[in-house]
């Protein structure tokens, strides 16, 4: 089996809570899925997961990627546990990108259902985020996001905590977010659900970018879009909320390299 090179890291403490271990492994697998899909921006961008109360005793703590590593180098043990101020809680020697925890901490703190937050700078996502009019209701995937997409105006590099309340107002209760001039963001109750939302948003942007390069698009009516969103079940907890899709992608990662479990 081919094994990707990984940076050295401290081993996860043997007394780690099993729920934290499970969260670390799932999140590390997700970073490898993103790498496999090409949803990477060098060493930048973030996927974060809030640890359950069984681990934290009710305190708000979350896992984030160690700054400086490519997504293909992330493992369960080198993920960094931090609080809402970005303070490292697990003794990790890896730094944390301030632009990561500023936005993610605001969402984890301000939205009770935000267990997971994902942010990308894919070409299609940034292109649509820069487009006057943003995401338009013209394809199969946009039709499944009717009433689910929020927009937040660009305020520069996201390192200033005072942007947090404005970001939360922009988001409201919408799980798919387009950060204007910047990129895509999704949040959800579980990691697989968040992935399903982001994948649909990303796919919608890819199709729109391809369509607009050829000419005018055929609009989808409000009635049809509302029905599509109602009929689409991939985000629903009653229908697995993306778990089956995520599991399938993790199996692909496992055939390439299982070192994320370390």
């Amino acid at each position: 089996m081919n094994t990707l090179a990984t940076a050295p890291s401290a081993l996860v403490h043997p007394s780690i809570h099993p729920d934290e271990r499970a969260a670390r492994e799932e999140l590390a697998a997700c970073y490898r899925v993103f790498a496999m899909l090409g949803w990477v921006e060098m060493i930048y961008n973030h996927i974060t997961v809030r640890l359950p109360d069984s681990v934290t005793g009710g305190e708000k703590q979350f896992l984030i990627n160690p700054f400086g590593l490519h997504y293909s180098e992330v493992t369960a043990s080198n993920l960094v546990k931090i609080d809402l101020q970005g303070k490292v809680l697990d003794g990790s020697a890896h730094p944390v990108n301030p632009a990561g925890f500023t936005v993610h901490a605001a969402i984890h703190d301000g939205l009770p259902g935000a267990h997971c937050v994902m942010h990308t700078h894919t070409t299609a996502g940034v292109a649509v985020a820069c487009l006057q009019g943003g995401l338009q209701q013209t394809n199969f995937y946009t039709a499944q996001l009717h009433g689910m997409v929020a927009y937040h105006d660009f305020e520069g590099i996201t390192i200033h905590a005072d942007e947090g309340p404005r970001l939360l107002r922009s988001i409201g209760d919408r799980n798919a977010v387009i950060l204007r001039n910047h990129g895509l963001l999704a949040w959800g109750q579980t990691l697989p659900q968040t992935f399903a939302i982001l994948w649909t948003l990303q796919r919608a942007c890819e199709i729109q970018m391809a369509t607009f390069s050829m000419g005018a698009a055929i609009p989808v009516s409000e009635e049809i879009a509302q029905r599509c969103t109602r009929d689409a079940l991939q985000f629903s907890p009653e229908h697995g909320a993306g778990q089956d899709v995520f599991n399938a992608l993790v199996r692909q990662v496992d055939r390439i390299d299982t070192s994320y479990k370390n």
Side-chain angles (χ1 to χ4, degrees):
M1 177 179 294
N2 293 329
T3 302
L4 300 176
T6 57
S9 66
L11 294 176
V12 176
H13 194 278
S15 64
I16 188 171
H17 193 288
D19 292 345
E20 179 175 342
R21 176 71 205 193
R24 283 178 173 272
E25 188 167 315
E26 181 179 61
L27 180 55
C30 189
Y31 274 103
R32 298 301 183 92
V33 167
F34 273 44
M36 181 177 68
L37 294 175
W39 293 2
V40 292
E41 188 78 357
M42 301 295 286
I43 60 171
Y44 304 103
N45 297 164
H46 310 280
I47 313 164
T48 55
V49 165
R50 180 178 169 181
L51 288 167
D53 290 348
S54 59
V55 174
T56 69
E59 295 183 14
K60 293 182 177 179
Q61 301 173 358
F62 57 102
L63 299 172
I64 193 169
N65 52 315
F67 189 47
L69 299 189
H70 189 269
Y71 280 12
S72 63
E73 299 177 300
V74 174
T75 67
S77 61
N78 66 29
L79 286 163
V80 184
K81 180 163 62 173
I82 60 177
D83 63 15
L84 290 171
Q85 288 71 48
K87 179 183 177 183
V88 175
L89 303 174
D90 57 2
S92 174
H94 290 287
V96 174
N97 184 0
F101 70 76
T102 299
V103 167
H104 289 241
I107 297 173
H108 283 291
D109 188 32
L111 299 175
H115 165 76
C116 180
V117 181
M118 299 177 176
H119 172 50
T120 59
H121 286 179
T122 61
T123 299
V126 176
V128 172
C130 295
L131 185 67
Q132 191 74 32
L135 189 65
Q136 298 178 34
Q137 205 165 267
T138 59
N139 68 61
F140 179 81
Y141 296 101
T142 57
Q144 296 176 57
L145 295 168
H146 184 271
M148 290 182 59
V149 181
Y151 290 85
H152 178 64
D153 288 339
F154 186 56
E155 296 189 23
I157 298 174
T158 51
I159 57 174
H160 302 289
D162 64 342
E163 186 177 353
R166 294 188 292 276
L167 174 64
L168 293 174
R169 285 195 296 271
S170 296
I171 292 174
D173 61 355
R174 299 188 173 195
N175 296 84
V177 185
I178 294 179
L179 303 172
R180 295 189 189 276
N181 308 101
H182 186 171
L184 305 181
L185 184 145
W187 60 274
Q189 298 175 28
T190 67
L191 185 151
Q193 181 191 49
T194 308
F195 178 82
I197 294 167
L198 182 63
W199 184 88
T200 306
L201 182 60
Q202 167 67 20
R203 197 78 180 107
C205 290
E206 290 173 347
I207 300 300
Q208 176 169 310
M209 188 168 70
T211 303
F212 283 21
S213 72
M214 297 185 294
I218 303 170
V220 175
S221 71
E222 288 289 304
E223 179 184 1
I224 295 297
Q226 288 175 359
R227 187 166 67 192
C228 286
T229 299
R230 184 176 63 249
D231 291 347
L233 302 175
Q234 71 267 35
F235 311 136
S236 170
E238 290 76 24
H239 294 85
Q243 187 71 59
D244 51 357
V245 172
F246 184 71
N247 288 348
L249 291 170
V250 173
R251 289 194 297 271
Q252 290 188 49
V253 168
D254 284 345
R255 287 194 288 270
I256 300 168
D257 177 21
T258 60
S259 66
Y260 69 88
K261 298 179 183 180
N262 296 338

